[in-house]
Every structure is written in structure tokens, then in C-alpha cells.
Amino acid sequence: MAPILLLLSAICHLIVIVGLTLHPTDFLIGTEPQLSFNRTDLHSASLDFGKMTSIEPTAVLHPSSAADVAKIIKLAYESGHGFVVSARGHGHSINGQSQAANGVVVQMSGSSGAPVAPVVSEKLMYVDVWGGELWIDVLKSTLQYGLAPKSWTDYLYLSVGGTLSNAGISGQAFNHGPQISNVHEVDVVTGKGEVVTCAENKNSELFHAVMGGLGQFGIITRARIALEASPQRVRWIRVLYSNFSVFTHDQEYLISLHGQPSSKKFDYVEGFVIVDEGLINNWRSSFFSPSNPVKISSIADGGNVLYCLEITKNYYNHSDPQSVDQEVDALLEQLNYIPASVFTTDLPYVEFLDRVHKAELKLRSKGLWDVPHPWLNLFVPKSRIADFDQGVFKGILGNKTSGPILIYPMNKNKWDAETSVVTPNEEVFYLVALLRSALQNGDEALTLERLSDENRQIIKFCKDEKIDIKQYLPHYTTHEDWMDHYGEKWPQFYKRKMEFDPRHILATGQRIFEPSFISKMKSW
């Protein structure tokens, strides 16, 4: 790999000196396996989970180390014409965020495995992992020592660098904060091709920039993740509500217990909205017994919407079952769900964490996984969540949703304000995630066009009603919209961009900044 990159560097240096008009990517040729021009690789890198946009790169880099990543970025930074570079993990982005038009996609995750295996420190309770490592493999590595990360995403087949570049949230976030609040340090390759180790007290500006930074300031090649003693089992509980205010009151009560001892709180708090009669006994809701299907019409209180609270209690193989029962019962007694709607099961901790993968396998078997996913993820302030319910759940959405709608609150004090993530300016805010799949099955309500139009209606409704939402996994098409998204954080975000990626080489698929050499590129 080194010889070709040295040659490319020399060629680009000549371009600068003599003013050649050839584009640097015209010279990205070679036989080294790390730099691929294979049509299969290029096609794969042009797609993502969203299946709504496709842009092929010029080449795909399969790095064997952080040094390989640094060399390709340094080449792009120092060349006269320049080219863009984007990191790609498991390719789970929705709107082409990991794509690189006329550039290089750095494939951080792959079937060949990570360049460096996870290294666990039992004494200091952390694990060092490659940025492209999938969370499922991190978990497998740490469990060998009886340890596990504290904060998760619902789906484990995502890369460490990918989720840290967004925030990384699940039902543990109310207690431990997002995944970016559980990172000790990272190695980052900046937009200048420099490898920098950073942490809260070391190169802190870069550390805070890349946490939730959407890949704009560097590519994370190593992360040191905080660990805790791993439970072995989980009590998994779901209860139903027909009254939205009662549902949110109970959710907010449960997350207010975050400072209590583990025996006095649940370990995971999520929820979902059920507007589709079929969904309640399907996919994510398959938890409910097929022999006892739940029907909205039979328990809904004067409406066609139900709300499900999803909670868990972690415990160990040596725990006293009676004590676990007592802790769960004491917490449930404080809640006001529909009587007789309690569904509960016990299962291994790993099986609970990997629950969505089981759903994935079922959908793949039916040909329903590799379809367009017009997802919309929003942070909604607590003060306006009831308005959102009336306008969206009981308004804009029909009775066919083609996927789960998650809703759960988080505590803002668990989020570091110095990171790049923006959240509503309230102490409690909700994630509302419309995780829908577009289907061509003859049902007009489930087409990509219809679901995308509903997303636009939801955004417009919030704007018209002055509900100060913030997008999670944000997607905007104009610079002005991005400035509005970051609000008072924009000057800091821009300053960090100019410091760590001054030529705007990185993550151009986000469409936040145009590369400085945009006029010389064939397309945007």
C-alpha cells in the first residue's frame, strides 16, 4: 500500500508545481488489495440501508491500519485538485451520508474482520476497539471477561465509529447517557491526514467535535469504551396504555429514577406507538403471544392509537428470583398501565441486546429487509410531546405504518453539551423514531412516495406549530437548513470544521459543506 500512496503523493505534488489539469483520482490505480476498483466493491459502497440514493465512488479503501486511512486523506488534502473521502461502517446510513462522489470510500467494516482485535482491560474496565468494529463483536469480546459496554443502540450490527459519529442511543440512555458519554478516548484521522489521540483532557476540542460530529472532523480509527460488569439475564416487560398523557407521565417517572440504586429502577426504558392493527402482533411487537393476540379496538380508549411501555430489569444467574420479582413488582405498582396488559419474559442478556437481529433475519427471509427505508428520527421537547401526539400520531399518520414507531424520553444532563450533537433546550426530551419500510405491494399507503410525503408533513407540522424539534441522524439538503439545525452551536461547528478539515474533504455525503475544490469536480 505504501508504494502506491507515495507514488500518488509525488504525482499530486507535480500537479501543484506544473499546473497539470488531470484530476488526482485519475491516478488512483494499482493492484494493492487495500485500494479497490472492483465493480462489486464500488457498487456496494454506492448503497446504504436507506436504499434511496446511489452514488459510486472512484475507489474503495480497505485499510489494514490507521496509517492507511491517514495516507489516503493526506493525499486528498495535499493534492492540488483534491478528492473527497468518506468512512463507511456497516452501511446503515439512510440518505447516502457515507457516499463519496468522485472520491474514496474507506470501508471500515468488512467480512475479513477488523485490522486490530478488541483489547479488554479488566482492571480499568474498558475495551479498545477498531473504529469499524461492529458492536455485536465488541460485546462478544467483552463478555469473555464478564464485562459489557454500558450504553447501546437497539441494533448491534453497526460500527463503533458510525454510532459514535451520531451519538448512539437506546433504552439505557436515560441512565448512562448516549454511547458518546461512555467513551474514554479515541484515535482520529483528521481532514489533514493527521492521526490524533484525544480525550476529555487531551486534544479535547477534537474529541468533543467527533462525538456526534457526523464524520465532519475526522475518521475514528480506535475508541476506548467504558465497561461494567455484565448481567447474565433480563426480565423483559411490556405494558399497554390508551391514554398518551398517562403513558408519558409513567415514562418520565421511570427516567427520573436514574440516580437511584439499581434495585430501585429499571435498566432500560423505551416505548412505541401502535397505530396499525397488524403491527402490534408483528415484527418488533412479536413479543406478544400468538395465542393471545392484542387488538387495538378492544382496549383503545376512544381512539385508534395504543402506546406500549417497554422496560427491563437486569440480573445475574446467582440473583435471588424472589428479590427480582419484588423489585419489578414494586416498580410496576407505581405505573398506571391498562390492567391485565402485562407481557413478560426472561431471557439471556445477549439475546435481549441482539433482539432486532432476529427480526432482521425474519424480514430477510421474506424479502422485506433490502427495501427503501424512509426513516425519520426526531428529538421532541417534553413540553410539546402531547402536541406532537395529537398532530402526528392521531393526525398525519394513517392506520398503516409499515414499521415500528419508537418513543421514549431521555435526560439532557446525561449528554455533554460540548459535543457536536444538538438536542432540544429542555431537561427532558423524547426520541420519536419512525422506522418505516417502503413496500411495493399494491398498498398506496406504504409506498416510498407516500411515506416520504408523510415525513415532509411531519416536519412542516412541527415548523408551523413552532415545536422546536431536532433531527437525530439528521438529513438536510441546504447549507441554510444545516445552520438552522445547529443554531447557536453553528459558529463552534464551523470553527471546528475549518480547524480539522479545512478543505472540506470528509463526509461530503452529509451535504453540510461543499469541498473547496467543488468547481473542479464532475458532480456533487
Side-chain angles (χ1 to χ4, degrees), residues 113-420:
V116 181
V119 177
V120 176
S121 172
E122 289 183 83
K123 181 179 179 181
L124 299 178
M125 302 282 279
Y126 67 71
V127 58
D128 281 322
V129 297
W130 171 250
E133 193 79 66
L134 301 186
W135 283 101
I136 182 65
D137 296 319
V138 175
L139 177 61
K140 290 176 181 178
S141 298
T142 60
L143 284 177
Q144 296 178 35
Y145 300 87
L147 303 172
K150 300 176 181 180
S151 190
W152 293 97
T153 59
D154 286 345
Y155 183 55
L156 302 189
Y157 287 75
L158 304 173
S159 69
V160 169
T163 65
L164 296 184
S165 294
N166 287 282
I169 55 175
S170 185
Q172 304 88 3
F174 82 94
N175 194 31
H176 295 294
Q179 290 183 316
I180 57 173
S181 294
N182 296 275
V183 179
H184 292 313
E185 69 176 29
V186 289
D187 288 344
V188 178
V189 180
T190 71
K192 300 176 183 178
E194 300 168 343
V195 182
V196 181
T197 299
C198 51
E200 285 275 2
N201 57 359
K202 180 180 182 180
N203 298 310
S204 61
E205 191 71 16
L206 179 58
F207 177 78
H208 291 127
V210 298
M211 294 294 104
L214 306 179
Q216 291 300 304
F217 312 102
I219 294 178
I220 298 171
T221 56
R222 178 187 65 91
R224 179 166 290 178
I225 309 297
L227 302 176
E228 64 179 357
S230 173
Q232 281 90 47
R233 297 192 64 80
V234 168
R235 178 74 54 84
W236 187 10
I237 304 160
R238 285 177 172 175
V239 295
L240 297 174
Y241 296 76
S242 59
N243 185 295
F244 186 71
S245 64
V246 176
F247 169 69
T248 55
H249 175 273
D250 281 1
Q251 281 195 321
E252 290 164 17
Y253 165 71
L254 291 176
I255 73 164
S256 74
L257 303 176
H258 64 87
Q260 296 294 316
S262 59
S263 62
K264 303 292 185 181
K265 63 187 176 185
F266 285 115
D267 297 287
Y268 162 100
V269 176
E270 282 200 15
F272 53 92
V273 182
I274 304 163
V275 300
D276 187 335
E277 184 84 31
L279 182 63
I280 192 170
N281 300 300
N282 221 324
W283 192 37
R284 198 178 167 96
S285 305
S286 60
F287 181 92
F288 300 112
S289 171
S291 63
N292 183 27
V294 177
K295 291 189 176 297
I296 294 177
S297 57
S298 66
I299 55 178
D301 183 17
N304 64 345
V305 180
L306 285 177
Y307 311 94
C308 180
L309 173 63
E310 183 176 47
I311 43 187
T312 70
K313 168 67 71 173
N314 298 338
Y315 65 98
Y316 300 85
N317 288 337
H318 56 74
S319 298
D320 176 21
Q322 187 175 2
S323 296
V324 175
D325 291 342
Q326 290 173 349
E327 291 174 10
V328 169
D329 289 344
L331 286 163
L332 289 178
E333 285 177 2
Q334 304 302 313
L335 308 180
N336 294 287
Y337 51 84
I338 297 173
S341 73
V342 180
F343 296 80
T344 181
T345 188
D346 278 45
L347 70 168
Y349 184 60
V350 175
E351 191 173 329
F352 170 73
L353 290 180
D354 202 28
R355 63 199 179 281
V356 176
H357 182 55
K358 285 190 173 183
E360 174 191 349
L361 296 178
K362 290 180 182 179
L363 290 175
R364 284 189 182 278
S365 69
K366 298 177 181 179
L368 298 176
W369 184 259
D370 291 318
V371 298
H373 295 95
W375 286 8
L376 180 64
N377 295 269
L378 304 173
F379 289 147
V380 182
K382 168 189 168 181
S383 65
R384 302 302 303 278
I385 194 65
D387 297 323
F388 191 94
D389 171 60
Q390 285 294 325
V392 177
F393 302 147
K394 296 186 177 79
I396 294 172
L397 298 182
N399 63 356
K400 293 182 180 179
T401 60
S402 185
I405 303 172
L406 306 187
I407 176 171
Y408 57 91
M410 289 172 280
N411 296 306
K412 190 179 180 73
N413 62 10
K414 298 292 183 179
W415 296 64
D416 186 344
E418 291 300 312
T419 68
S420 293

